Amino acid sequence: GENVEQHPSTLSVQEGDSAVIKCTYSDSASNYFPWYKQELGKGPQLIIDIRSNVGEKKDQRIAVTLNKTAKHFSLHITETQPEDSAVYFCAASEARNTPLVFGKGTRLSVIA
Amino acid sequence: DAGITQSPRYKITETGRQVTLMCHQTWSHSYMFWYRQDLGHGLRLIYYSAAADITDKGEVPDGYVVSRSKTENFPLTLESATRSQTSVYFCASSRTSSYNEQFFGPGTRLTVL
């Protein structure tokens, strides 16, 4: 089955700097890659996703890139703000009816 | 209010007791999921359901039982709780299994003594 590895497990950046979180997956059939953000005491929430027919997707300060050949995808957050501090999870799925497989999460701290 | 709710939010129980965690969603989403979140393990799928009366095992189903008699409810039962089941449990719902956003509940923090 699918295996998703996520790095780093913790990341600290200065406010205004960029943050990058990377994930690799094992199943070449996977074609949907969402990113979830979990704030303290809450459930995860979808922030951006990408499908295998797209190499990059942006939404304001966040972007996701996908390299299907290398089987890895990354989350990029620019101009980080304190409210970006949270745990971020990547995930992968190979089909509509196949459950998502999540990475182990990255705790991002933005230092003011 | 519309959305997905979990109850209780906090639960302390003893080893060997039966515990049921409740999950309710108001969107009429077909799919519902139960995850557990543990430090160092991220989110691990316990069980999921594609529709009423249809359930499937996830990555870590042992020790858990689910049912789904109504589309909006998806209770998770620990038949005989063990200390290793101490965790934060999240319920989620979605229009499809994976291609659409999963909406997570606020979580239930379960402690088994």
Side-chain angles (χ1 to χ4, degrees):
Chain A
E2 176 65 277
N3 182 51
V4 178
E5 302 264 348
Q6 183 171 347
H7 299 280
S9 57
T10 61
L11 178 61
S12 291
V13 299
Q14 292 289 329
E15 183 179 359
D17 288 349
S18 295
V20 180
I21 302 170
K22 299 181 179 180
C23 289
T24 60
Y25 60 98
S26 60
D27 190 343
S28 57
S30 287
N31 53 18
Y32 176 66
F33 308 93
W35 286 88
Y36 282 78
K37 175 184 180 182
Q38 184 181 26
E39 296 178 346
L40 193 64
K42 297 184 178 180
Q45 185 173 14
L46 179 71
I47 55 171
I48 195 167
D49 58 10
I50 192 168
R51 300 180 191 271
S52 62
N53 58 345
V54 176
E56 182 177 5
K57 184 177 179 180
K58 288 184 179 180
D59 183 3
Q60 300 182 333
R61 295 186 298 107
I62 61 173
V64 57
T65 58
L66 172 64
N67 184 327
K68 285 224 75 180
T69 302
K71 290 190 286 187
H72 68 70
F73 56 112
S74 301
L75 178 71
H76 304 253
I77 305 173
T78 58
E79 301 174 9
T80 54
Q81 301 169 3
E83 53 264 39
D84 294 327
S85 295
V87 178
Y88 292 82
F89 292 98
C90 63
S93 173
E94 64 174 273
R96 177 182 294 274
N97 294 326
T98 302
L100 289 171
V101 175
F102 284 88
K104 293 184 178 180
T106 296
R107 181 174 298 278
L108 173 64
S109 299
V110 179
I111 304 165
Chain B
D1 288 340
I4 183 164
T5 56
Q6 293 182 236
S7 62
R9 293 293 314 279
Y10 303 91
K11 177 73 176 179
I12 299 174
T13 191
E14 295 178 338
T15 301
R17 290 191 180 268
Q18 183 179 81
V19 177
T20 296
L21 310 184
M22 304 301 294
C23 180
H24 176 78
Q25 54 103 356
T26 61
W27 293 299
S28 297
H29 284 164
S30 296
Y31 279 82
M32 296 187 74
F33 310 84
W34 274 107
Y35 295 91
R36 60 177 291 173
Q37 183 174 22
D38 305 287
L39 196 63
H41 291 279
L43 290 163
R44 293 183 291 175
L45 183 65
I46 304 171
Y47 270 96
Y48 67 105
S49 168
D53 298 321
I54 301 175
T55 61
D56 275 299
K57 295 179 180 179
E59 180 187 354
V60 289
D62 292 344
Y64 303 95
V65 175
V66 293
S67 62
R68 194 164 177 209
S69 57
K70 294 183 178 182
T71 299
E72 62 267 28
N73 297 325
F74 191 37
L76 176 74
T77 298
L78 289 66
E79 293 192 303
S80 179
T82 65
R83 290 183 180 174
S84 64
Q85 293 177 309
T86 292
S87 186
V88 180
Y89 291 85
F90 287 98
C91 178
S93 72
S94 176
R95 288 195 292 119
T96 68
S97 176
S98 59
Y99 282 9
N100 292 94
E101 179 174 1
Q102 288 190 19
F103 294 86
F104 284 79
T108 294
R109 182 175 294 277
L110 176 68
T111 301
V112 183
L113 301 177

